[in-house]
Every structure is written in structure tokens, then in C-alpha cells.
Amino acid sequence: MARLQQEVREQKQLILQLMQMHDALLKYLQLGGGAPDPGAGAPSASLAPAASASSVNPGQGAATAPPPAAGTRALISGTVRSNGGPLTDLYVYLDGPKIVSSRSATVEIKQQGRQFVPAVSVVQVGTRVLFPNEDKVFHNVFSRTPGDAFDLGTLKSGDRPSPVVLLKPGHVEVFCNIHSRMRADILVVPNGYWARVRPDGTFQLPGVPVGGHRLVLWGPGIKPATQRVDVSPAGANIALSAEGIGRKAHLNKQGGAYESYEE
């Protein structure tokens, strides 16, 4: 029965993924763009930014400046300063049209040493995520995140359960129902425009279409911050602030407290 339920969930996820790809393709065709095929961390799809053009007073004998050429792209660079938040495991991404990955991307998060490895991951919407158990003990991987909730059931050593397809952008929290100290944080980005913030707080996001966008700063230990950025053909430079947040003890998959058997 558990296997049948898992297969039904996978079929639903596949159908939703195909619908998202169809909607994204129609949107880009209507906007005159090509079919999107972005890669994580190496964006290539158009976000169809709002058109903008600067002009001068024609009465002064100057002609109206032409708008940027279609497809013009530029670099967003910036700096993140700490306002009580950590400057590790921080990422920036463009909040815009959801573009399902068309490269059948697969990411692996191992259960190893009673920890999730890696503990923090970034994936584009539609990515398949695998959770192999490489420990000698049982694990029970689950997430209660709305829109991306899943339950892999009990996994023994060596098990490689069916992949989870994450279809809703946002922060997905993953836990083990047996070991309360196990935690993985996954950022599901809506498209391929994202970059990791360097340890010194600087970042660069290349290949961004000229126009207006919303840039999001995210990290598992900070409060997400959103800022409007207007990208000109010369690019844009912005400053962001990382505000720390505390983490509360999480519940098990039944919504209750963990039992003493966890260790």
C-alpha cells in the first residue's frame, strides 16, 4: 500500500510538472522569447522584464534615446552586510516566472553520519531529489512544507527511495522522524537566476535581462529579504542586509514531540 501511494504521488507530481512546463512555454512564446532551458547557477532564460527607455526633452533638439536592444543582459553585483545574521550559506535569486527545469536535473542528499549531506541545497523547481541512506541505522525522511510535503517512510541501510520532485518555489525543511537533530534546508528557486553569496558578503548574478526585477536574499539562518532592482545595460549594484532569526524545535511527522528512542 505504501508503495502504491508513493507511485500515485509521483504520477501527480509528473502531471503537475508537465502542466507547469506547458504554462511557462506559452508565456514565453507570447512574449516573443524562445523556449526556456535554464541551468542552476547559469541562467539563460528570459524573464521578460518590463520595457524601459530614457528620454530627453525633444524641445531641446535631442532625440529620444532608443530602448535597450531585445535580449540585452547585464550583471547584478552587490554586497550583503550582517545585521545579526550569519554570512554563510546565503543565496540571492530572482523572484519571477516559474520555469520548470527541462534537463531532468537530479540532486542527491545523503543520510550519512546521522546527518543530511549536504545540509543546505539549492535546486530549480522541477528538480528530482534523492535521499539515499548510507548509514547503518534506520532513517525516516519527511517534510511537512506546504506544497512540497513528502514522506519516504522507513529506510534501512543502503536504501535508495524514489526521488522527490519539488514543484513549489520556496524553503523546504527536511527532517528525520527518528533523529531529531537531522535537518536539511532546500531552497527551491523559480528559475535559473541565482547565485551563492561569497564568504566576504559579495555576490554576482550575471546574464540578467535588462529591466525591473525582485531580488531575494535567503539563508537558513536569516529572515528572507526582498529588494526591487532596476537593471540597466550597464548592470546594477545593490546592498542587502542579513537579519538573523532563531530556530524553534521542530515536531515529528505526526505533529508531536520526538520520543526518547531517537538516538
Side-chain angles (χ1 to χ4, degrees), residues 13-219:
Q13 288 177 330
L14 179 58
I15 292 172
L16 183 56
Q17 180 177 350
L18 292 174
M19 292 174 63
Q20 296 289 351
M21 291 178 66
H22 179 263
D23 291 344
L25 180 58
L26 284 179
K27 180 180 294 184
Y28 277 85
L29 289 176
Q30 292 169 354
L31 293 170
D37 187 19
S44 61
S46 169
L47 287 184
S52 63
S54 59
S55 62
V56 295
N57 187 349
Q60 296 177 344
T64 301
T72 300
R73 299 172 187 271
L75 171 72
I76 297 178
S77 59
T79 303
V80 179
R81 74 175 190 277
S82 174
N83 185 20
L87 292 181
T88 56
D89 289 324
L90 296 184
Y91 297 85
V92 293
Y93 68 93
L94 294 188
D95 184 15
K98 186 165 66 171
I99 305 171
V100 176
S101 175
S102 60
R103 297 182 179 177
S104 300
T106 300
V107 170
E108 188 170 89
I109 300 177
K110 300 177 181 179
Q111 301 157 75
Q112 192 174 68
R114 298 189 182 187
Q115 299 292 328
F116 288 110
V117 182
V120 180
S121 302
V122 179
V123 301
Q124 187 173 335
V125 64
T127 299
R128 296 154 49 93
V129 184
L130 292 168
F131 293 91
N133 183 5
E134 298 192 357
D135 274 338
K136 299 299 183 183
V137 298
F138 288 97
H139 288 298
N140 192 318
V141 181
F142 74 97
S143 174
R144 298 180 54 166
T145 303
D148 278 322
F150 63 88
D151 180 3
L152 298 183
T154 302
L155 304 173
K156 66 179 183 296
S157 178
D159 276 354
R160 296 182 63 86
S162 298
V164 174
V165 181
L166 301 176
L167 294 171
K168 183 179 179 180
H171 177 199
V172 178
E173 297 177 300
V174 182
F175 305 107
C176 174
N177 200 49
I178 301 174
H179 307 97
S180 66
R181 287 198 285 260
M182 290 180 63
R183 177 191 181 105
D185 294 282
I186 305 175
L187 173 63
V188 183
V189 293
N191 48 65
Y193 292 91
W194 64 272
R196 183 168 186 167
V197 177
R198 302 186 184 102
D200 64 359
T202 62
F203 67 87
Q204 289 189 330
L205 189 58
V208 176
V210 167
H213 303 285
R214 286 202 310 162
L215 186 75
V216 181
L217 171 67
W218 176 88

